[in-house]
Amino acid sequence: MKTFGLIFISVTALVVFNVITKVDAAVEETDCRKLMMVIAKKQLKVFGECSREMRAEISDPEIYQSKIQCVVKCAMRREKMIDENFQVSKLSIQEFLELNVPKVFHEIGHIFMDNCLAKYDGKFDVQDEHCKSYGDFIKCMQDRIGDIC
């Protein structure tokens, strides 16, 4: 159950961030929710791919659950939210925005990310075999943008 909660929080945060940065200002709330569901499919696919890859490497369910945040790390890398050194920065967030978000929404994307960036910029513990800081970053994002849609 704890694993589902962590994955749900991570997917929700990425989905909401994508919704915020992709939603046209004139979109009504009900349309925002529909859009969130469409984007959720993509995010779930990325998390599913990362999860399957990790399960192929880790056969013990207890070890897999203890490393569930590494699925988050994998998804963040695939979405270009972290760089090749597995760190988040203004540059990596800008790359994520450029690849995934219309330019008109880049400024608001940065506004929502500033607090989390200040806390985690270049501070991910890449040696942590449980990838805890990556999950913490996504939780920070969720806390910042959870009320939007």
Side-chain angles (χ1 to χ4, degrees), residues 32-141:
C32 181
R33 288 192 177 126
K34 287 179 187 176
L35 179 58
M36 189 167 71
M37 294 308 295
V38 169
I39 294 170
K41 287 182 183 180
K42 178 184 185 259
Q43 300 303 323
L44 287 172
K45 181 179 178 184
V46 172
F47 274 85
E49 290 168 358
C50 290
S51 180
R52 280 189 296 280
E53 288 173 14
M54 198 167 93
R55 281 192 187 274
E57 294 174 17
I58 302 172
S59 58
D60 184 315
E62 287 183 28
I63 293 173
Y64 173 82
Q65 283 190 335
S66 75
K67 295 184 176 190
I68 196 67
Q69 300 299 342
C70 295
V71 175
V72 173
K73 178 181 175 181
C74 170
M76 289 175 71
R77 181 65 190 130
R78 289 205 179 158
E79 292 293 310
K80 307 290 186 197
M81 195 170 282
I82 54 178
D83 63 22
E84 64 278 352
N85 297 315
F86 300 97
Q87 294 295 324
V88 67
S89 66
K90 285 190 180 223
L91 186 60
S92 68
I93 293 301
Q94 184 59 39
E95 182 178 3
F96 168 80
L97 293 171
E98 287 175 7
L99 293 171
N100 296 291
V101 178
K103 191 168 183 77
V104 68
F105 297 111
H106 288 197
E107 184 177 342
I108 194 169
H110 283 291
I111 290 168
F112 282 108
M113 297 300 295
D114 280 348
N115 285 355
C116 298
L117 272 173
K119 187 174 181 180
Y120 291 95
D121 189 354
K123 298 176 184 167
F124 287 145
D125 181 359
V126 296
Q127 301 301 318
D128 176 12
E129 68 180 46
H130 298 285
C131 309
K132 182 181 180 322
S133 54
Y134 298 92
D136 291 346
F137 177 77
I138 294 297
K139 176 77 168 88
C140 179
M141 280 181 37

Side-chain angles (χ1 to χ4, degrees), residues 2-56:
K2 198 174 198 180
T3 300
F4 175 76
L6 292 172
I7 291 174
F8 179 76
I9 288 170
S10 300
V11 170
T12 301
L14 283 173
V15 167
V16 172
F17 182 71
N18 274 329
V19 168
I20 288 169
T21 55
K22 291 182 181 180
V23 170
D24 186 314
V27 174
E28 295 178 14
E29 184 177 329
T30 56
D31 291 336
C32 181
R33 288 192 177 126
K34 287 179 187 176
L35 179 58
M36 189 167 71
M37 294 308 295
V38 169
I39 294 170
K41 287 182 183 180
K42 178 184 185 259
Q43 300 303 323
L44 287 172
K45 181 179 178 184
V46 172
F47 274 85
E49 290 168 358
C50 290
S51 180
R52 280 189 296 280
E53 288 173 14
M54 198 167 93
R55 281 192 187 274

